[in-house]
Amino acid sequence: MHAPVRLGLTGGIGSGKSTVARMLVGLGAGLVDADAISRQLTAAGGLAMPAIAAAFGQDFVGADGALERDRVRQTVHSDPGARQRLEAIIHPLVGLESRRQAALLAEQACPCIVFDIPLLVESAHWRHDLDHVLVVDCTEEVQISRVMARNQLSRSQVQSIIASQASRSRRLAAADSVIFNVDLSLDELAAQLQKISARFGLSSG
């Protein structure tokens, strides 16, 4: 049995990364979604919540026991050190759960395991664990218009989110493959992905 291709998938907010992840699953890949894992860890009863409460106090815990995300956004915006302390709690747990899920997928003989990691480029360790990095790319103006429409955020709010992520040039420098997702229909996006799917151990047939 061949070891699965370990594919890192990343892209800025509004790039279409989640859509590409779903398409890869449709081609037979297994998916490890770092964002979904992070949400589980910070939900009510999540493994990260006791350490977050101890480090930041009950102000970071909502009435339902989950992470108070609005409070977190306000705090990390004004205190970059708070973001680092929070990530130091959450990221190791995300890594552990990601590896657990990947091991299960490997046992199921998935030809490709997709690691959907928004902070792949920012991470010091993920790149070494991957066979290939696929970046879903688009212009900043397209990112802004998509996220404004999707999330009902202001232009300045979206620009602030983009500024907090790795730069477009930094993501592209880390890429083994790139899909430029501007002015593509879903069918055209799927066709582009199918053209390169064999690189990931997947068949488009």
Side-chain angles (χ1 to χ4, degrees):
M1 182 173 66
H2 293 293
V5 175
R6 297 168 66 86
L7 174 64
L9 175 66
T10 196
I13 187 170
S15 64
K17 175 177 60 66
S18 296
T19 300
V20 169
R22 288 193 296 271
M23 290 177 173
L24 285 164
V25 170
L27 290 170
L31 177 63
V32 176
D33 185 335
D35 259 355
I37 292 170
S38 180
R39 288 193 295 272
Q40 292 167 1
L41 292 168
T42 54
L47 288 177
M49 290 311 298
I52 291 172
F56 294 95
Q58 289 300 315
D59 284 349
F60 268 46
V61 182
D64 61 353
L67 186 66
E68 184 59 66
R69 296 186 184 279
D70 287 340
R71 182 60 180 253
V72 170
R73 276 191 286 269
Q74 293 168 9
T75 302
V76 300
H77 184 72
S78 59
D79 178 7
R83 178 191 293 274
Q84 294 174 350
R85 295 195 303 276
L86 185 63
E87 289 178 348
I89 295 170
I90 296 174
H91 286 184
L93 293 172
V94 171
L96 284 172
E97 177 60 16
S98 296
R99 285 168 177 77
R100 187 191 73 82
Q101 292 185 14
L104 289 174
L105 290 167
E107 288 176 6
Q108 297 165 17
C110 276
C112 173
I113 300 174
V114 176
F115 294 83
D116 183 345
I117 309 171
L119 300 178
L120 188 155
V121 176
E122 294 90 330
S123 166
H125 69 87
W126 268 113
R127 187 62 182 91
H128 304 294
D129 295 336
L130 302 169
D131 300 312
H132 197 102
V133 172
L134 172 61
V135 171
V136 185
D137 181 46
C138 67
T139 64
E140 183 171 318
E141 192 55 41
V142 168
Q143 285 182 274
I144 292 169
S145 63
R146 285 176 180 165
V147 179
M148 286 177 65
R150 182 184 71 194
N151 295 20
Q152 286 76 56
L153 296 177
S154 68
R155 171 175 283 269
S156 62
Q157 285 174 310
V158 181
Q159 287 173 321
S160 178
I161 294 170
I162 292 172
S164 72
Q165 298 181 334
S167 67
R168 184 183 178 194
S169 60
R170 190 176 169 195
R171 276 194 300 271
L172 291 173
D176 296 305
S177 299
V178 177
I179 291 179
F180 185 57
N181 185 24
V182 174
D183 296 329
L184 294 180
S185 67
L186 287 176
D187 286 345
E188 289 168 337
L189 179 61
Q192 285 216 10
L193 189 59
Q194 287 170 357
K195 286 180 183 177
I196 59 174
S197 61
R199 300 180 197 174
F200 317 138
L202 300 170
S203 170
S204 60

